[in-house]
């Protein structure tokens, strides 16, 4: 069998050839190394130990189980289990369904995902950022800041119930354009039609890709790649002109400014000190008018532009043109989605917003600043912010987060003013002190890391204040003392911190105190906003541990092995030998033989 990394790299190379058709993809599912690589990618996920509808998890994966799975794929008797449906709350209210596949289905889906990603990822649009390697919400927002300068209208796009309404026939026909392997496409059909169990009641799936499925993100991106291509064609036909015409008013004011300067310069030596002061004030006044006036006509009908960015099923279109242009673009997008992809724009969420007002995208408020602020350079005063995109933290997001966490109570006094009261978290009082501090730090850092691109990121200091005093109250409740006493007890050198013992000595965890400066680098670090290629997954330690066929508990070699897995190491007490071995290795996985694995589970 060929090395999976070599196969994936070759698929990536062929993907850049537009007319290349892919054959015999299904045979890669006969390669056990692909499934070992898939398990390596999945085992660390939080849901790895969550059982599917058949009650199985990824605990116990080994070559015998993989070979049994491959036999069902070879004789085409493999059929995915219905996904077990669970619901998670949405930020805006309501619940979002998630499908939890069985363990074997997770493995097969991960292999399929790796193959599809190698084929399609190099061809995806640079304006697509959702569920893609090396991209994130931050890269989408950074692209908006870079490309949307001067837009006059925003179109806030949202597709109604996107993941539930993807048309299966259209999706498979899109796949068939490049994949000429009916066995592989039949497997995709099986995943799409597997159905789901809700309250142990079976439901068929006639459309959509289940959220939670391993192949759902790549299939969803592939489906909306059609929209990305449509927008690229639309942009080419819509854009007009190379630059805006010069503003007559700006030229007039510039002329006045120049003539006044020349006049005062010619008579400067004969002017009195009072006249010189008046001349300076006059020049500054005219210069201020120049800086407040656009140098070019912002509504030039012969200059039009479209900018576009998408994250999953949310997209934002920036229009340099009239409101009629924006309305026509929205209608054309809706018509394309309905006719070509059988999708519907959400009427209540797809809005047309003036550029100077706040549009909502990926939880940020996005607007085009008309601020005429200036700064002094060697050339004199110049404008610095005019017509640039401004990203802001919405107040309702951080306040809503505090209320959702149950740590903020807002009351109104007799004068109608809001009064904020931080609340303690009773459910955290049973945790260790260091765990309580870690929980609060996670809330603070999570909010700041996401909103650190915002110009007003410092507003999160108010978010921090409520969490800080909620922490003090929680400690006061845990130790049956006052807030002041709890704060004094754990504050050292001005920092609230908790010491705890480890094998290597005493350590401490401190309440976050790094402030909230704006950081313009996306969260992924110095990431290329427009990556063109991703290296194929490489086998790592676990892959080679499973290939070694050596039991890490009893030391027997050359026998079939399985992987015993736990959710986390802190749940182990060290009572049993296998627990002590895992703690010593500092690994959540232990490769063991069949007898040792059978001996672990009855315990």
């Amino acid at each position: 069998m060929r090395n999976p990394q070599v196969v994936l790299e070759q698929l990536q190379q062929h993907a850049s050839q537009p007319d290349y058709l892919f054959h015999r993809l299904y045979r890669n599912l006969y390669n056990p190394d692909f499934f070992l690589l898939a398990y390596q990618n999945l085992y660390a996920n939080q849901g790895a130990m969550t059982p599917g509808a058949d009650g199985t998890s990824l605990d116990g994966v080994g070559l015998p189980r993989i070979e049994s799975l491959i036999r069902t794929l070879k004789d085409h008797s493999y059929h995915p289990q219905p996904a077990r449906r669970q619901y998670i709350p949405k930020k805006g209210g309501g619940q979002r369904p998630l499908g939890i596949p069985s363990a074997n289905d997770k493995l097969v889906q991960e292999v399929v995902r790796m193959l599809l990603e190698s084929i399609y990822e190099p061809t995806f649009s640079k304006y697509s950022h959702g569920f893609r390697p090396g991209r994130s919400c931050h890269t989408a927002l950074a692209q908006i800041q870079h490309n949307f300068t001067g837009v006059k209208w925003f179109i806030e796009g949202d597709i109604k119930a996107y993941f539930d309404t993807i048309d299966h026939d259209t999706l498979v026909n899109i796949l068939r354009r490049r994949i000429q392997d009916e066995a592989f496409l039949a497997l995709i059909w099986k995943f799409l039609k597997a159905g789901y169990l809700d309250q142990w009641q079976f439901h068929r799936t006639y459309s959509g890709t289940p959220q939670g499925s391993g192949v759902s993100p790549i299939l969803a991106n592939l489906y909306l790649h059609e929209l990305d291509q449509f927008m690229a064609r639309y942009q080419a036909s819509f854009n007009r002109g190379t630059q805006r015409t010069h503003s007559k008013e700006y030229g007039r004011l510039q002329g006045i400014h120049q003539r006044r300067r020349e006049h005062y310069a010619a008579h400067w030596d004969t002017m009195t000190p009072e006249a010189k002061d008046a001349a300076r004030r006059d020049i500054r006044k005219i210069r201020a008018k120049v800086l407040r006036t656009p140098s070019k006509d912002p509504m030039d009908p012969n200059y039009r532009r479209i900018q576009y960015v998408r994250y999953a099923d949310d997209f934002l279109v920036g229009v340099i043109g009239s409101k009629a242009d924006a309305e026509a673009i929205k209608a054309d997008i809706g018509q394309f989605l309905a006719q070509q992809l059988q999708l519907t724009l959400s009427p209540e969420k797809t809005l047309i917003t003036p550029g100077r007002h706040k549009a909502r995208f990926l939880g940020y408020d996005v607007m085009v600043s008309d601020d005429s602020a200036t700064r002094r350079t060697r050339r004199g005063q110049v404008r610095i912010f005019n017509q640039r995109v401004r990203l802001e933290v919405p107040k309702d997001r951080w306040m809503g987060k505090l209320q959702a966490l149950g740590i903020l109570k807002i009351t109104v006094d007799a004068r109608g003013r809001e009064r904020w009261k931080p609340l303690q978290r009773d459910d955290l009082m049973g945790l260790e002190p260091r765990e309580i501090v870690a929980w609060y730090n996670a809330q603070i850092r999570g909010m700041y890391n996401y909103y650190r691109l915002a110009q007003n990121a410092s507003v999160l200091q108010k978010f921090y204040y409520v969490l800080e005093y909620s922490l003090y109250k929680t400690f006061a409740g845990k130790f049956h003392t006052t807030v002041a006493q709890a704060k004094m007890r754990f504050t050292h050198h001005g920092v609230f911190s908790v010491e705890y013992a480890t094998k290597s000595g005493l350590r401490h965890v401190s309440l976050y105190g790094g402030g909230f400066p704006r950081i313009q680098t996306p969260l992924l670090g110095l990431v290329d906003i427009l990556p063109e290629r991703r290296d194929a997954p490489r086998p790592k330690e676990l892959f080679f541990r499973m290939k070694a066929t050596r039991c890490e508990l009893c030391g027997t070699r050359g026998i079939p092995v399985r992987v015993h897995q736990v959710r986390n190491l802190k749940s182990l007490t060290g009572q049993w030998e296998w627990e002590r071995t895992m703690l010593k290795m500092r690994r959540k996985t232990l490769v063991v033989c069949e007898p040792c694995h059978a001996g672990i589970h009855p315990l």
Side-chain angles (χ1 to χ4, degrees), residues 581-595:
T581 301
M582 296 183 81
L583 290 170
K584 184 178 179 180
M585 295 173 61
R586 299 180 68 181
R587 294 290 183 271
K588 295 194 302 181
T589 56
L590 188 67
V591 178
V592 294
C593 61
E594 296 277 1

Side-chain angles (χ1 to χ4, degrees), residues 322-340:
S322 65
K323 185 176 182 180
D325 291 332
E327 291 172 343
I329 293 168
K330 175 183 173 181
D332 291 341
I333 293 173
Q335 184 179 17
F336 171 81
L337 291 173
Q339 294 181 354
Q340 302 299 321

Side-chain angles (χ1 to χ4, degrees), residues 6 44 66 88 110 124 128 138 194 201 215 235 252 257 266 389 441 476 497 504 509-510 529 542 558 560 572:
V6 173
I66 288 172
I88 60 174
E110 177 61 15
F124 282 160
S128 167
H138 278 193
Q201 181 73 32
V215 294
Q235 184 182 49
R252 186 183 70 82
H257 179 259
V389 171
N441 280 342
S497 61
S504 57
V509 57
S510 302
I529 294 178
L542 183 59
L572 303 181

Side-chain angles (χ1 to χ4, degrees), residues 484-497:
Q485 290 172 337
K487 185 178 178 181
M488 184 180 301
R489 174 179 173 180
F490 290 98
T491 299
H492 307 283
H493 306 291
V495 178
F496 189 93
S497 61

Side-chain angles (χ1 to χ4, degrees), residues 523-539:
L523 184 61
L524 296 177
L526 296 176
V527 68
D528 184 356
I529 294 178
L530 308 176
E532 299 299 334
R533 180 172 171 176
R534 180 195 186 194
D535 291 335
R538 293 179 178 273

Side-chain angles (χ1 to χ4, degrees), residues 439-478:
W439 184 88
Y440 278 90
N441 280 342
Q443 307 308 316
I444 296 167
R445 287 196 176 99
M447 180 65 69
Y448 174 52
N449 282 339
Y450 188 74
Y451 284 109
R452 67 182 194 169
L453 297 180
Q455 270 88 345
N456 65 335
S458 60
V459 76
L460 293 179
Q461 186 64 44
K462 298 178 181 179
F463 178 80
Y464 176 82
Y465 164 82
V466 176
L467 282 161
E468 179 186 11
Y469 277 86
S470 173
L471 170 66
Y472 297 156
K473 290 186 175 183
T474 301
F475 267 74
K478 179 177 178 64

